Amino acid sequence: MKMFKKANVALGAAILAGICAAGVVSADEYPSRPIELIVTFGPGGGADVMGRQMAKLLEQPLGVPIPVSNVGGASGNAGLTQLRTNAADGYTMGTLISLTVASWASGLGDNKPADFRVIAVVQSSPSFLFVPTSGPHKTAEELLAYVKDHPGEITVATSGYGTQDDVTLKLLDKAGYKMENVPFQAPAERYASPIGGHTQAIYEEPGDVAQFIQAGQLTPLMVFSSERHPEFPDVPTSKELGVDISGLDNFRSIAVAAGTADDIVAKLETAVTGAVSSDEWKAFCEKTYSCITPVTGEAAQSMISDFRDLIAAQLGS
C-alpha cells in the first residue's frame, strides 16, 4: 500500500512538472501564435496610424500575424489597463504614449510606469497651436493679444483632460492667456473641429493634421518647444512669445506588461528596432514629422518615469 501511494505521489509530481513545463515559453519557441497589439486611442489618430504601421512591419521578423485592436477611453488608460491585466507573456503589446503618461500625473487612472516594460520609444514631436486658416487670427501675437482681452472665449480642441494638451493650457492660463479646453475622444472629430467652426484652435502635433496643413486648412501659430521646428521655420516658439513651455513633446512607444521575461523583451526589441530602421518606416515618420532614433532599455523606461515627474512638477509649479 505504501509503495502504491508513493507511486501515485511520484506520478502526480511528474504530471505537475509536465504541466508547468508546458506553460513555460522559451525565447526559441516565442512567438508561436498571433501577438495582439492594443492601440490605446481610437481609430484614425496618430497612435492608431503608428500602431498599424508598426504591426505591419513586425509580422515578417516575428513570423506571426499581429492583429490590432483599438481600446480607447480615459486618455489611453482603458487600453493600458487591459494590457497590464493580460498575461505578461509577450502575446499582448500596446501603445504607451506621452498623453497617457501625463494623465497619470494629473491623477487619471491607476496605471503607473512600473506596470509596463517599454520595448522602444519610436516617435516624438513637439506640439503646436493651430488655427483655421479661414479664421480671424493670422499670427500668434494677434491671437495672444485677443486671448488676453477675452479670457476663456477661445476654445481649443484637445485629446482630453489630464494630458499635456490640458497641462499646456493650464500653463498658458497661469501666464495670463486663458483658453477653454474642449476634449474630443475621437481623433478625427478633434482634427476637424476647428475647420468646422466647433472650436477656434487645436493643440496637436503636425503629423496628425498633416493633410489639413497641406490642404491649407490649418495654420500653425506657435510651437511648444525651445527651438523652432525645422519643417516650420517661420513659426515662433512659445518661449519667443514670452511663455516658456517646452519639454512636453508627444512621444509614442510600444510596451508590454511588467513581468514579461527578459528574453521575450529582447526578441521584441530587436524586431521593433529593425522595423524602425526600414525604408518604409523612415518614409512614414518623415511624412508625420516624428522621426527619432529609437530609445530602448533603461533609457526608455526612464523616459516614461521622467516625463510623468516633469508633468507633476509643472502642475505643482
Side-chain angles (χ1 to χ4, degrees):
M1 182 65 72
K2 288 183 178 179
M3 290 181 63
F4 181 74
K5 287 183 177 178
K6 287 180 180 178
N8 278 346
V9 170
L11 178 61
I15 292 172
L16 180 60
I19 292 171
C20 291
V24 175
V25 179
S26 71
D28 292 337
E29 297 169 332
Y30 172 85
S32 59
R33 55 185 171 85
I35 301 170
E36 180 187 16
L37 175 60
I38 297 173
V39 170
T40 52
F41 283 81
D48 180 53
V49 175
M50 182 277 283
R52 293 180 186 279
Q53 182 70 35
M54 181 59 69
K56 175 185 174 184
L57 293 174
L58 290 178
E59 288 189 342
Q60 190 276 327
L62 291 173
V64 296
I66 303 181
V68 176
S69 60
N70 292 89
V71 184
S75 298
N77 282 290
L80 284 180
T81 297
Q82 183 170 317
L83 173 61
R84 186 192 77 202
T85 54
N86 280 1
D89 55 9
Y91 286 102
T92 308
M93 299 186 294
T95 58
L96 173 54
I97 77 173
S98 59
L99 293 175
T100 308
V101 178
S103 77
W104 300 343
S106 302
L108 185 62
D110 59 355
N111 296 304
K112 55 187 182 298
D115 291 330
F116 307 98
R117 292 191 69 172
V118 181
I119 303 300
V121 180
V122 296
Q123 282 185 305
S124 186
S125 172
S127 291
F128 288 64
L129 193 66
F130 293 91
V131 295
T133 304
S134 60
H137 308 294
K138 306 302 180 184
T139 68
E141 291 86 352
E142 180 185 339
L143 175 66
L144 291 178
Y146 185 88
V147 170
K148 198 88 168 180
D149 293 337
H150 304 82
E153 185 176 316
I154 295 294
T155 55
V156 182
T158 75
S159 60
Y161 294 117
T163 63
Q164 65 254 46
D165 308 29
D166 188 28
V167 171
T168 299
L169 291 183
K170 284 182 168 66
L171 294 174
L172 285 169
D173 188 4
K174 289 182 179 179
Y177 303 104
K178 180 177 178 57
M179 291 180 270
E180 191 68 28
N181 184 349
V182 181
F184 288 84
Q185 184 171 328
E189 292 179 7
R190 182 168 73 252
Y191 305 154
S193 66
I195 298 168
H198 304 295
T199 57
Q200 285 79 54
I202 180 172
Y203 179 97
E204 193 57 75
E205 63 267 21
D208 287 2
V209 291
Q211 61 179 316
F212 302 108
I213 300 170
Q214 292 157 8
Q217 295 174 294
L218 287 178
T219 298
L221 291 192
M222 73 175 80
V223 56
F224 296 97
S225 175
S226 57
E227 298 179 355
R228 292 196 178 196
H229 196 290
E231 297 294 330
F232 303 92
D234 296 331
V235 178
T237 68
S238 57
K239 183 176 182 179
E240 291 175 60
L241 297 165
V243 188
D244 189 3
I245 301 174
S246 60
L248 304 182
D249 292 4
N250 190 20
F251 60 80
R252 300 187 181 107
S253 74
I254 301 295
V256 292
T260 303
D262 290 343
D263 52 3
I264 290 176
V265 169
K267 182 167 280 193
L268 289 173
E269 182 182 311
T270 298
V272 170
T273 53
V276 172
S277 67
S278 69
D279 290 340
E280 188 172 351
W281 178 271
K282 289 176 182 176
F284 164 71
C285 73
E286 286 174 5
K287 183 179 178 181
T288 55
Y289 311 103
S290 61
C291 293
I292 61 167
T293 300
V295 184
T296 60
E298 287 301 319
Q301 209 68 35
S302 295
M303 190 171 175
I304 302 300
S305 299
D306 292 347
F307 188 76
R308 185 207 174 281
D309 294 344
L310 172 64
I311 296 295
Q314 292 277 24
L315 289 173
S317 62

